[in-house]
Amino acid sequence: MTTSATDLETRVRAYMDACTSGDAAAVASHLTTDAVHYFPPDMYDGPWRGAVPIGEKWAEKVRTGRSAWTVDAIAVDAARRVAVCEWTHFKQAAGVLLRGTEWYEFDGEGLIAEIRAYYASPQDTALARLELGGFDYAGRGYPEAPRAAVGG
């Protein structure tokens, strides 16, 4: 498969449709075997690891919570093999509407290798660090302190 912007956008949309379908195998078909899905701390016991477990967990959310998703906006950088998707998650059994975004990274074949979920919600003032659970920020070179101001 090529990894044009259209291909990557199509992959994200098909993945989200598969999630809504509740078909675990269909979800897994869009992911690399060792895909990882990161979440905020204490959300869904994440991170989830592996295409099959990710598919099974979303299928369970559809069965038990009548979950459904829409893709509301998407931006793709084909050269970097990444996409960002803004979505709405309808947790119908609980009467909850959750909005957020996900950062997708793709392999060379256009399969989703990593998903990082970010939710629109108030800041938890009890936490000193608000970041994804299980994500190796330091190991990936993310800053641990602000940069010094220029001229300061």
Side-chain angles (χ1 to χ4, degrees), residues 4 13 17 20-21 25 27 29 40 45 47 63 72 79 81 94 99 101-102 111 120 144 147 150-152:
S4 72
R13 290 181 182 281
D17 286 345
T20 296
S21 78
V27 173
S29 74
D45 298 320
R63 278 192 304 275
D72 305 327
R81 292 195 317 253
R99 297 193 196 277
T101 62
E102 289 176 334
L111 292 173
E144 294 293 318
R147 293 173 43 193
V150 175

Side-chain angles (χ1 to χ4, degrees), residues 14-23 26-27 30 54 58-59 62 67-69:
Y15 168 77
M16 294 295 272
D17 286 345
C19 288
T20 296
S21 78
D23 181 338
V27 173
H30 297 287
I54 292 169
W58 284 134
V62 171
S67 284
W69 292 264

